[in-house]
Amino acid sequence: MTPATIDPPETTDPLILTGEGYGLIIGTAAETAKATLLKNSKLIVEVTDPVGDAAADTQLKALAAMRIGLEKTRASVKKPALDFGLKVDQIAKSFIAEVIAEEGRLKKARGSYAEKVLQERNRVIRELEERRQEEGRQLREEQEAAQKLEDGRIAAEQALWEADSPEEEAAAAVAMEKVKAETSELTATVRPPVNTSVVTFAPPVPRGVKMVPEYEVTDIDALYRHNAGLVTLTPRRMEILEAIARGRIGDDLPQIPGLKIKLVPQVR
């Protein structure tokens, strides 16, 4: 009887790992050498004389030799894994390149539309504000005109009341009639208030799109002067050390504003 063939399970994962992974151990000889090296090193508790300093120097070289040897071995052991990692990245990048490009294209298209929506909304808000300002201007003008007419009416009534002769009484009556006519004319020409409730349609911000602030630094010095907390100043160590080396003469160190420079021991 022929055994049934079992097909491997299907998967929708884009990347599928095949084959076996890597095993990793530390060699027995290396473990022994490390133990011996650490034992000998710990025998040196402190350095108090030239003999002790020479012994510490010898031990330091042995420790460094093991460390450097391990680094070289580590690099060679890691190379196949690194090469495989690069291969994974290349395959994944090649596979998804068109998807990323299309994603970027659609995001750009939506972003362009969102910018147009924002511009339209800003236009509507600006027009509404202009309408409100115009209404305020009209209202102020009408109030000023009404107050002027009211002052004229009061003055005409006062003149009519205080008239001592028919001529003065007639003049006051003419002034009163003029005020009444101007009041009627003002009432007839008063424009209706601006209807601020009627707003030009503005499309809503597209779903999934959030308007966030963005910035462009135009003057880094001004930004730092007024808002030091918004700027990061980082000393450039290599350039500083090079400047010190250029200005150093023996044990005499250069003076650089903002730096405190001194000599310190460096154990190799």
Side-chain angles (χ1 to χ4, degrees), residues 3-9:
T5 301
I6 301 177
D7 295 329

Side-chain angles (χ1 to χ4, degrees), residues 22 26 72 206 218 221 228 253 255:
Y22 295 97
I26 300 294
K72 292 180 179 179
T218 58
D221 292 332
L253 301 175
Q255 299 295 321

Side-chain angles (χ1 to χ4, degrees), residues 4-94:
T5 301
I6 301 177
D7 295 329
E10 294 185 358
T11 176
T12 58
D13 293 341
L15 298 177
I16 302 174
L17 183 63
T18 61
E20 298 180 356
Y22 295 97
L24 185 64
I25 62 172
I26 300 294
T28 304
E31 290 282 13
T32 302
K34 172 187 171 183
T36 301
L37 188 61
L38 292 177
K39 178 181 178 181
N40 293 337
S41 179
K42 290 178 181 179
L43 292 176
I44 303 174
V45 178
E46 60 180 342
V47 176
T48 59
D49 53 37
V51 175
D53 183 61
D57 181 58
T58 299
Q59 195 61 31
L60 272 173
K61 291 178 180 177
L63 291 167
M66 172 165 279
R67 173 176 53 79
I68 294 171
L70 175 64
E71 287 298 319
K72 292 180 179 179
T73 303
R74 184 175 66 87
S76 63
V77 170
K78 280 179 61 177
K79 189 177 185 307
L82 292 176
D83 292 342
F84 179 72
L86 291 175
K87 184 178 180 180
V88 170
D89 292 343
Q90 291 171 356
I91 293 175
K93 183 178 180 180
S94 175

Side-chain angles (χ1 to χ4, degrees), residues 97-128:
E98 291 179 312
V99 173
I100 293 176
E102 187 63 12
E103 186 180 13
R105 185 187 69 81
L106 289 180
K107 282 185 176 181
K108 184 177 180 180
R110 295 197 71 202
S112 177
Y113 171 66
E115 287 183 3
K116 292 179 181 178
V117 169
L118 182 61
Q119 292 174 359
E120 178 64 14
R121 291 169 67 88
N122 289 339
R123 183 190 66 78
V124 170
I125 293 173
R126 185 172 59 253
E127 289 184 356
L128 181 59

